[in-house]
Structures are given as C-alpha cells and as structure tokens.
Amino acid sequence: MKAGQLHRRSFLRFATLLGLSAAVAYEAIGEVDPTLSAAKADELPKGGNLRIGMRCMEIKSPHLADFAERSNVIRQVCEYLTFTGRDNITRPYLLEKWEASDDLKTWTLHLRKDIKWHSGRPLTADDVVWNLKRVSDPAVGSSMLGLFTGYLVEEYETGEKDKDGKPKKSSRLWSDKAIEKVDDHTVRLNAFAPQVAVPEHLFHYPMFIIDPAEKGSFGPGSNGTGPFELVEFTVGKSAKYKARKDYWGEGPHLDTFEFIDLGDNPGALISAMASRQVDGLSEADAVQINAMKNFPHVQVLKVETTQTAVARMRPDHKPFGDKRVRQAMRYAIDHDKVIQTSLLGAGISAEDHHVAPSHPEYAPLPKYGRDVEKAKKLLAEAGYPDGFEIDMVTRPDPMWEFNTTQVLAEQFKDIGVKVNIKALPSAQYWEVWTQVPFSLTAWGHRPLAIMTLALAYRSNAAWNESGYSNPEFDKLLSEAEGILDANKRKVVMAKIEALMQDDGPIVQPFWRVFSTVMDKKVQGFKLHPSQYIFANECAVSA
Amino acid sequence: MVAFLAKRLVLMLATMLVASFVVFAVSEFTPGSVARKSLGPFATQEQVDILTEKLKANDPLPVRYGRWLGVLVGAIPDPLQDPTNGLNFSDPRGARYFGNFGYSTLYKLPVNDVLWDRLGNTAILAGLAFALIVPLSILFGVLSGLKEGSGLDRTLSVLCITFTSIPEFASGVFLVTLFVILWPVLPGTSPLDPSGGWSVPSQMVLPVAVLVIYDFGYVARMIRVSMIEVMEKPYIRTAILKGLSPRQVILGHALRNAMIAPFTVLLLQLNFLISGVVVTELVFAYPGFGRMLLEASLFGDISTVEAATLVTVAVAIVTQLLGDLGYMALNPRIRLR
C-alpha cells in the first residue's frame, strides 16, 4: 500500500474485491481481521435459549424482504452469498471466493462445496442461478431489481401505453447469458456495464438464497442453508427457532432462539428488559438507552452507521419542480441542532447528498451551513417571495423520525415555508411513500454509497421515492459503479455529491449512531450497522 | 318474556348490521386498497391492478358490502382465498362456512384464527378485573354511603376519585417503576408466554391492577350515591326502629335496593373492559382484543375491524340485556311490563 494514496478501508475493500481473503488483506496492512479475532467460537458457552425483542412482521417472500426486522426472521434460516462485516468489508459467505474481470463486467462466483440444505441436499449452482433470476423478474417485485438495473437488468418499452399516453416500461435481464451456470459450483454474471459493488449487492436484504422447490414462500419448516430451523412464526407475536446440528459455518451455540414481538410501545420494551423477559432488543433509541443504561444486568452497544432519514421532495410536484426551491430547503437546515434535538446527539452531520464519511467512496466537499437569507433569496427567485405551505408526510413512530420531522418543520418555518405534518401509521405510510410530494423516510445502512444512490435516485429504480430522474446523475452513477481505482472513483463521486447538493431531491440532516441493549449474559453478539442479527454467533452464559 | 327476548334479538341483529355497514363505509376514506395491503408496499402497480380486478374491489360500496355479508353467512366463498389470485391465503375451515369473517390483510391469517384467540385473552383479563371491581366497589360504595359526610366517607371518596382520575398509562408506568424496576417482583410485560421465567398468572397481576385501579372508584361512587338515597328511605328507619342489627338492616333491607341502579353501571363496565382496554394492553404488550382492534384500524384491515365491531356491538347489547333482566329480578315492579 503506497502511503497516503489509499484510504485504509479502501485498500481493504479493493484487496478483498480482487479475490484476496479479508484475513490476508488485513495482514497486508498489519492488522488482524476483526471478525476473526472476535470470534473465539470455541470459548463460548453451549446450549440455552436466547430471546430478543423485535417486531415480527408478516413475510410474503424472502426476496421481498425490505425491513431489517423482516430479514432478521429469515436470516436465521436462509443465507447470503456474501457477508459484509461490521468493518464494511465484504467477504465470501456461501461463496468460497469470487473473481472479477479487469473490466468489472464478468464476475465468477465460486460456491462452497460443503453446504447442505436442511433437507440434506447439497447447495448447487442451479439453486443460485434460480434465485438470481427470480429477483430479476419484475413480476416478483424484489428491490434487487433496482440494484441490478444498469448492469444485469435493462429497461425496455413494452409497446403498451399507460393512461397518460406515455409508453409503459418494464425490465428484463439484458441477455440470456446474464446469469450463467458454469458448473455445479460456479456461477458467472455477465454484465453489459462494469459494476464494482457486486459482492455488496449480494448481501442486500432480500438476496437470500432460498430453495427453488418452495417457489419463494417462507414459513415454519422452510428449507434453508442457515444455522436454525424456524419452528413457529406468528405475526405480531413471535418467531421460534431450533438449532440445526449439521450447520457448515460458525455455531449455532444456542439450542433455541426466539424473537418476541412486544408491540410499538417503547415503554413495554424497557419493562421487558427490566424484568428479563427478553435478553436483548433489536434496537433501542437514545431515550430508551437512557432509561436502561443503569440497570445492573444490561450492556449498551453502539455502532456508527449510514442509517439516515431524508426529507425528500418530488421534483414532479409543485413547488419542488424548481431546483432553487430544493436548494432553499437545504439552506434552511441547521444540521447540528436537528441532531441534538431529535437524536439527543446520537448522530453525525450529513451533507444532503446521501454519501457518508464512512463510505469508502466519500469525497469531501466544501462545507456549507445554514443560510436563511440565501434560502429566502432563492425562494424569491423561484417565485415564492412569501414562501409556501406544504403537507409533509411522516410516521409517528419510531419517535426519532417524528421528532426529526418536527424539528425540520420548525426550521423550514424560518424561510417562510409552512409545513403541515401529516403523520400516518407505518402501514399506511408505506402505502404512499413513493407517491406523496414531500415526506420523511428512514433509510437503512449500506456499505457503499453507490448502492443507496442506485436504489433511491437512479431513474425508475424500485425504491426511487422522490421520482428523481436526472440523466446526468444516472450517467455519473453508472460511471462510478465501473471504476475500480478508489482515487479515480472519488473524483466521480465528488461530482455526484455536488450534483446532489445542487439539484438533488433531498434534505438530509444526519447519519445515525445505531444502538441497542443486551443482557450481560449474552455473549458473542456483535452489533451490525445493517441491524442484521446473526443468532449463530450468539451464546448465553447460565 | 319470549316476545321481549325476540324483540331484543331482532334489535341486536339490526344494530350489528348498521354498525358493520358504517364501518365498511368509513373504511372507504382510509388510504390504500385491499389489493395493495395484501401484496405489500413494494409490489408493482401492475400486480396491484390485476389483484384489484380479480377481487372486484372497484365495485360500488353496497355491492362489496353485500359480498362481505354473503361471505359472512357462508353463501359465497371468500374471494381473497381464491387460489387463482396467487395470494396463498387459506383457511382450514374452508372458503365457505357460516361465520366466515374473511382473511386478515394485517396478520395474514383467517380472522377467525386471530379474533377468538385475542378475545379470549382479553376476556380473561376483563374477567379477573371484573371479579375484583365488583366486590371492591360494593365494599367501598356501601361503607362510604352508610353515613354520608363521615370521616370514613370522606377518606374513601378521596381515594376513589384519586384512583379514577389517574389515567391507565400513568398508573401503568407507575406500577412498573415500583414493582418491576425498584422492587423487581413482577414481570413488566405480559406476552402470556411463560418461557421468560415469569408464569402467566404473574403476568396478569399488573394489567389487572391497572384496570381495577382505574375503574373501581367510579363504580363505588355510583353505589355510594344509591346507598345514601336508600338509607334515607322510611323503611330503613322502620327497620332500625324495630330493633334489627345494623348488619341485618344493611344486608337484608338496604343492599338489594341500593344495588338496582348501580347494577346497570356495573354491567356497562364489561363493555369498557372488553373494548376499552387498549391502553393497558399497549403498556404491557398484552396480546388482547383491544390491541388487535387498534392495530387493525391503523392498518386498515377491514375484515378484522368488521369482525371486531360485530363482537363489540354484541357484547354491548348482551350486557344491556343482562342488565335489564337483572333489573327485573331486583325490582319486581318492572316485571309487570
């Protein structure tokens, strides 16, 4: 590694990308792979039951998993091809290794040969090909489609017209050879454009490898390659698991594992921890942590994430069609005050472009702060000298989201924008989140910024809630996705970030610090920035 | 008597019909279609349109209400369970039977699988609370009503009013702080699942306590007023003058008459306990009927809300009927009607 030229994390990322194992890459920079040193699996106690408090939402299909909670229920049974560690470095998982061609268009995925489904059948390349093809089918509706679009999946016009007379669009794999079986344990991805984030994409929430025989369904008894078998699952109540004896990977150290649904009331979670009815929570916000940190049996865990919330504005609705209005909204915000008020300080300031300082491709831009005068001037130029009034849709829980909306609304008031907060229950919010002109949406952690950008801002992406469509942005993003050299990619990222600050559809106040609590008897648990829970790593002492 | 009961039954059916239609009509105004809710937020618009078509969800309101009634009485099969719509919804009782409340779009289960389970849980909670509220409120009401304005009356009245005026969420948090955090003798939540190391009976203590604290004072006040009134009646004076012991006067003469008016109030508490326990169930994460109704309403799960409405109305009307019958038993003059 040439001193100073490459960020440490970038080096690790690209060393592993090129087929070096994470352990070897860490060795090259004189460190020990943190996942290896932390996992002294042999020393963990064996047996017992672990209960974690988490919402148990209904699950339609693993390939449609959208919330961390939903995917956590599936994760104990089904697995990913890759694994992005807590250090944001992606390693092979069901894969033994991967190889990328120099132009980043051909990816060869080598499957481990020692993996068996619960049913006893070995995992084969056919299974993997079926899964990759299924998530690429627009009829399935998986958000993987948004990630695959631009290198494996292309858009085409169906020939039909919609109500407004515009041609209807759909997506398909760009070629029959896009996802190809080489032999029983090798799969090749043949892309039409270079893509650097393939290993990270394969760790995205819904990219579970499921048994083709189950046709995409999931429930108790479902087949999987994972460490546990799902025994019982009741929406709104619990998910119960039994450890599998012949698991190929680490653990499971527990005999049984449970998720318990304690409802939406944050107080009930504290009560359940206090009386040890659960051994941990999937998430606890700053207020809950304050209430629980003094319990003698509780340990607090924190991890920096790229979780965030964005106030996104649809440019196809008035008044957000004018980019000066969107800029004014950005200048109206005092990021630090939002963090103090709505997160009790548990966050770091963001720069309105959805690329976090902890992302390896982050390029620092000149900072800009709150500027009410400038915002007012921009509004006046756009034809709103007295500001305007607008509805902002949000959810009443989690609390930090609602608080953020309120603080933002207060700050928008200072530039003459009157915001009426419309709080919708979560279920109804997710009905309209891609349609309403102005809303606040929480976004999960992604190891690479280009992943979030591709999911949320590429034209016509499945999760493009703001309806943002900018050919220049799409072009720059595709360009960034194809650059291997970190320094060169940062040059493009700087352009993307500046474009988002100039033209983008979001006001983004912060990056969250994610926290939770566990009973001190829980061992081996490592808080993952994605909120992913891997019960096979956990153990309980008597 | 038969005519009276028959009249009541017809009235009950009519009320349930009207209530269910109102719920159906009101649900028109909540955003989101049945198809969207069945498929989830990330299904494509195309999929939603196809399912909407299959479910005939764009028919006029009276037609859809008629269809729902048809499913309920078993005249037609539930369209959500039709295998051709690809939702994989299935009911072990079949798609067509009497009392088919349809399929819950929130819990992804037949409403009958969710409803009766949850109602049973709440019935246990309400039953235990009621079993404590009745004797406590009678005791407090009679004691303070015996001598209006006495020291005992004042003390008990203050106690009753204070307890009744503490909202359930406040007393819930207060009790949790006391008995879960400061002096950990009770579990803080009640998922009715014993594997957390706390028995199910121990999980009932706090929610029942919250309900009793909130409710008994109010009923006691009603009984107190009625008791005061009765104690001023001439026949009580006669009874005392003819030398009966206070015990005989109260139990033999006063109590029966004093209970006539509060009896209805007591039965009304059953309504409150079945459908009004939402707050308590939320505070203690209790898997009950109130929480189900709240979650289903917020989600817009029409089938579940409809079923819950029918149950709530039925409970209200049956307790009213019981109230009237009890009134007759307590007050012979009413029987003449």
Side-chain angles (χ1 to χ4, degrees):
Chain A
M1 184 165 65
K2 283 174 213 160
Q5 271 196 8
L6 262 176
H7 191 265
R8 169 182 156 278
R9 203 195 309 271
S10 307
F11 169 76
L12 291 168
R13 165 72 184 86
F14 290 102
T16 50
L17 174 76
L18 297 171
L20 272 178
S21 85
V24 174
Y26 268 102
E27 217 172 58
I29 57 166
E31 289 180 29
V32 182
D33 186 346
T35 51
L36 291 180
S37 58
K40 288 178 184 162
D42 294 342
E43 292 167 19
L44 290 173
K46 299 278 176 288
N49 182 32
L50 175 65
R51 300 157 56 96
I52 289 186
M54 187 182 78
R55 293 306 319 249
C56 293
M57 303 191 266
E58 62 88 20
I59 290 166
K60 282 225 68 75
S61 170
H63 288 161
L64 297 179
D66 36 34
F67 291 86
E69 286 89 345
R70 274 199 179 98
S71 71
N72 273 337
V73 171
I74 305 164
R75 180 159 302 116
Q76 320 309 329
V77 178
C78 300
E79 297 182 295
Y80 298 112
L81 293 173
T82 57
F83 179 97
T84 304
R86 291 145 188 90
D87 51 1
N88 263 347
I89 306 299
T90 305
R91 305 156 167 79
Y93 195 48
L94 288 180
L95 296 182
E96 194 176 69
K97 60 171 184 185
W98 63 71
E99 287 155 2
S101 65
D102 288 342
D103 63 358
L104 293 174
K105 283 185 181 173
T106 312
W107 287 78
T108 312
L109 313 175
H110 299 274
L111 275 174
R112 292 177 69 109
K113 297 188 177 81
D114 56 344
I115 295 172
K116 284 196 165 63
W117 298 90
H118 296 166
S119 62
R121 185 171 69 79
L123 175 74
T124 64
D126 288 318
D127 297 327
V128 174
V129 168
W130 180 85
N131 275 277
L132 292 171
K133 284 192 172 161
R134 185 170 187 270
V135 297
S136 310
D137 180 355
V140 171
S142 172
S143 63
M144 285 307 295
L145 196 65
L147 287 177
F148 281 171
T149 300
Y151 71 106
L152 289 176
V153 170
E154 62 174 5
E155 291 188 312
Y156 68 102
E157 294 186 0
T158 57
E160 292 174 53
K161 304 229 163 158
D162 67 5
K163 281 173 278 180
D164 306 328
K166 288 186 202 150
K168 274 193 185 174
K169 281 187 177 173
S170 190
S171 312
R172 64 185 168 203
L173 286 172
W174 75 280
S175 145
D176 295 342
K177 287 261 165 122
I179 297 162
E180 156 188 53
K181 173 186 167 182
V182 178
D183 62 44
D184 272 356
H185 290 93
T186 315
V187 175
R188 188 166 293 145
L189 307 179
N190 298 302
F192 64 83
Q195 175 56 263
V196 73
V198 171
E200 278 83 4
H201 287 179
L202 298 177
F203 190 64
H204 184 48
Y205 297 92
M207 199 51 256
F208 291 108
I209 300 301
I210 61 176
D211 185 352
E214 296 186 349
K215 299 191 175 76
S217 69
F218 183 81
S222 268
N223 204 6
T225 57
F228 287 87
E229 286 177 50
L230 183 64
V231 181
E232 203 184 304
F233 179 62
T234 316
V235 175
K237 193 159 176 254
S238 63
K240 298 187 179 182
Y241 303 87
K242 188 179 80 189
R244 179 183 165 182
K245 294 277 179 276
D246 58 343
Y247 180 56
W248 64 272
E250 182 196 342
H253 311 294
L254 302 161
D255 291 331
T256 50
F257 176 70
E258 290 173 56
F259 285 117
I260 311 283
D261 191 324
L262 296 161
D264 266 337
N265 176 12
L269 302 175
I270 300 171
S271 302
M273 276 308 286
S275 51
R276 301 185 177 202
Q277 286 173 298
V278 289
D279 307 312
L281 302 176
S282 67
E283 177 179 8
D285 67 20
V287 177
Q288 290 173 312
I289 296 278
N290 274 345
M292 285 183 278
K293 66 182 179 203
N294 293 326
F295 293 172
H297 66 287
V298 162
Q299 50 174 324
V300 175
L301 299 128
K302 285 185 181 168
V303 64
E304 213 174 275
T305 71
T306 62
Q307 282 190 29
T308 182
V310 298
R312 100 287 182 285
M313 308 164 266
R314 282 192 78 98
D316 51 358
H317 281 74
K318 264 195 166 180
F320 297 129
D322 192 316
K323 81 173 181 186
R324 286 170 296 196
V325 174
R326 305 198 292 272
Q327 286 168 355
M329 299 295 271
R330 286 192 270 274
Y331 280 115
I333 294 306
D334 181 334
H335 295 66
D336 290 326
K337 272 202 178 134
V338 183
I339 294 169
Q340 280 311 321
T341 320
S342 52
L343 301 179
L344 302 181
I348 55 171
S349 187
E351 292 155 6
D352 303 309
H353 50 52
H354 219 146
V355 180
S358 62
H359 280 138
E361 62 267 67
Y362 172 80
L365 292 187
K367 306 273 179 220
Y368 68 98
R370 187 174 207 225
D371 193 337
V372 173
E373 287 316 308
K374 190 165 183 181
K376 281 184 174 164
K377 202 167 138 257
L378 283 164
L379 278 185
E381 281 169 19
Y384 302 94
D386 304 320
F388 55 89
E389 191 172 338
I390 186 129
D391 288 349
M392 183 171 184
V393 182
T394 184
R395 304 190 287 162
D397 56 59
M399 204 60 198
W400 67 267
E401 272 186 59
F402 191 64
N403 289 345
T404 305
T405 314
Q406 288 184 309
V407 179
L408 291 180
E410 277 304 310
Q411 299 193 354
F412 289 138
K413 210 188 268 172
D414 295 343
I415 63 163
V417 174
K418 185 166 183 282
V419 173
N420 305 314
I421 298 175
K422 300 268 183 244
L424 289 181
S426 289
Q428 287 178 19
Y429 180 80
W430 297 117
E431 298 257 352
V432 297
W433 75 295
T434 54
Q435 291 145 34
V436 290
F438 189 32
S439 79
L440 185 92
T441 306
W443 278 86
H445 169 87
R446 306 266 163 2
L448 299 180
I450 47 176
M451 282 176 74
T452 319
L453 296 177
L455 278 169
Y457 308 103
R458 196 195 285 277
S459 304
N460 298 317
W463 289 1
N464 186 338
E465 52 170 342
S466 58
Y468 187 62
S469 177
N470 183 339
E472 195 193 340
F473 174 87
D474 292 351
K475 196 178 128 268
L476 284 171
L477 181 58
S478 298
E479 196 185 322
E481 285 172 338
I483 301 176
L484 182 59
D485 185 311
N487 287 333
K488 281 186 194 151
R489 195 144 58 109
K490 280 189 179 183
V491 176
V492 182
M493 286 311 289
K495 286 188 209 163
I496 292 180
E497 291 170 19
L499 180 70
M500 285 292 277
Q501 284 183 347
D502 178 62
D503 181 66
I506 60 166
V507 175
Q508 188 199 12
F510 49 65
W511 302 101
R512 278 181 85 204
V513 171
F514 182 67
S515 53
T516 194
V517 290
M518 285 283 151
D519 197 300
K520 284 183 180 154
K521 75 175 187 180
V522 179
Q523 298 179 30
F525 176 84
K526 285 159 269 168
L527 193 59
H528 196 282
S530 302
Q531 219 174 325
Y532 288 6
I533 291 172
F534 294 90
N536 59 313
E537 296 173 344
C538 301
V540 285
S541 50
Chain B
M1 189 68 183
V2 175
F4 169 74
L5 285 178
K7 212 165 88 183
R8 275 308 183 82
L9 194 68
V10 172
L11 185 73
M12 178 168 155
L13 283 176
T15 316
M16 284 163 88
L17 269 180
V18 172
S20 66
F21 183 76
V22 169
V23 171
F24 221 90
V26 168
S27 67
E28 284 287 285
F29 302 110
T30 62
S33 65
V34 175
R36 172 56 76 183
K37 278 163 191 153
S38 308
L39 291 170
F42 303 111
T44 63
Q45 192 55 41
E46 201 180 337
Q47 291 171 291
V48 173
D49 292 343
I50 293 170
L51 187 63
T52 307
E53 185 80 9
K54 277 182 182 157
L55 296 175
K56 301 190 184 116
N58 287 331
D59 285 352
L61 179 70
V63 176
R64 278 181 290 134
Y65 179 69
R67 197 177 299 131
W68 175 79
L69 267 185
V71 171
L72 178 65
V73 299
I76 49 173
D78 181 6
L80 270 183
Q81 284 173 42
D82 186 349
T84 60
N85 64 32
L87 285 174
N88 295 325
F89 287 172
S90 70
D91 188 337
R93 286 161 288 256
R96 217 175 121 175
Y97 59 93
F98 184 79
N100 183 357
F101 286 118
Y103 211 91
S104 160
T105 47
L106 169 62
Y107 299 103
K108 311 287 166 180
L109 284 170
V111 175
N112 275 312
D113 283 354
V114 188
L115 181 74
W116 303 113
D117 194 33
R118 297 297 195 99
L119 190 63
N121 289 345
T122 294
I124 295 169
L125 182 62
L128 285 172
F130 195 67
L132 287 169
I133 288 168
V134 173
L136 259 182
S137 57
I138 292 180
L139 184 72
F140 274 58
V142 169
L143 282 181
S144 60
L146 277 178
K147 236 188 197 165
E148 191 191 357
S150 66
L152 183 66
D153 177 27
R154 294 250 171 85
T155 316
L156 293 181
S157 289
V158 167
L159 207 68
C160 288
I161 293 170
T162 313
F163 276 0
T164 300
S165 51
I166 302 174
E168 293 147 297
F169 61 83
S171 58
V173 170
F174 185 70
L175 289 181
V176 165
T177 312
L178 272 185
F179 296 107
V180 177
I181 295 172
L182 294 179
W183 187 41
V185 289
L186 287 170
T189 57
S190 312
L192 300 189
D193 185 355
S195 56
W198 297 96
S199 66
V200 172
S202 73
Q203 293 177 17
M204 302 299 297
V205 177
L206 287 180
V208 167
V210 166
L211 286 174
V212 171
I213 285 176
Y214 181 67
D215 205 39
F216 92 94
Y218 167 71
V219 185
R221 297 285 292 166
M222 295 290 166
I223 295 174
R224 171 183 172 273
V225 174
S226 182
M227 195 69 193
I228 290 170
E229 212 172 291
V230 169
M231 289 307 283
E232 283 166 356
K233 290 273 162 65
Y235 65 83
I236 299 290
R237 203 174 353 147
T238 314
I240 295 170
L241 287 176
K242 76 183 178 192
L244 290 180
S245 71
R247 187 189 152 88
Q248 281 168 318
V249 174
I250 295 165
L251 292 181
H253 292 72
L255 195 56
R256 175 175 172 144
N257 287 311
M259 282 310 291
I260 292 176
F263 184 72
T264 325
V265 177
L266 259 177
L267 279 177
L268 282 179
Q269 302 316 303
L270 272 181
N271 286 332
F272 157 72
L273 286 172
I274 292 291
S275 49
V277 293
V278 188
V279 176
T280 312
E281 292 184 350
L282 271 183
V283 169
F284 294 102
Y286 189 93
F289 184 77
R291 220 177 100 200
M292 178 199 78
L293 187 53
L294 177 75
E295 284 173 2
S297 320
L298 290 180
F299 187 81
D301 182 355
I302 302 167
S303 303
T304 308
V305 176
E306 281 286 359
T309 311
L310 293 189
V311 168
T312 318
V313 173
V315 169
I317 294 175
V318 168
T319 50
Q320 208 183 357
L321 179 66
L322 286 177
D324 290 353
L325 293 176
Y327 218 89
M328 283 189 210
L330 286 169
N331 189 349
R333 276 174 299 179
I334 297 176
R335 277 179 228 165
L336 296 173
R337 183 160 59 117

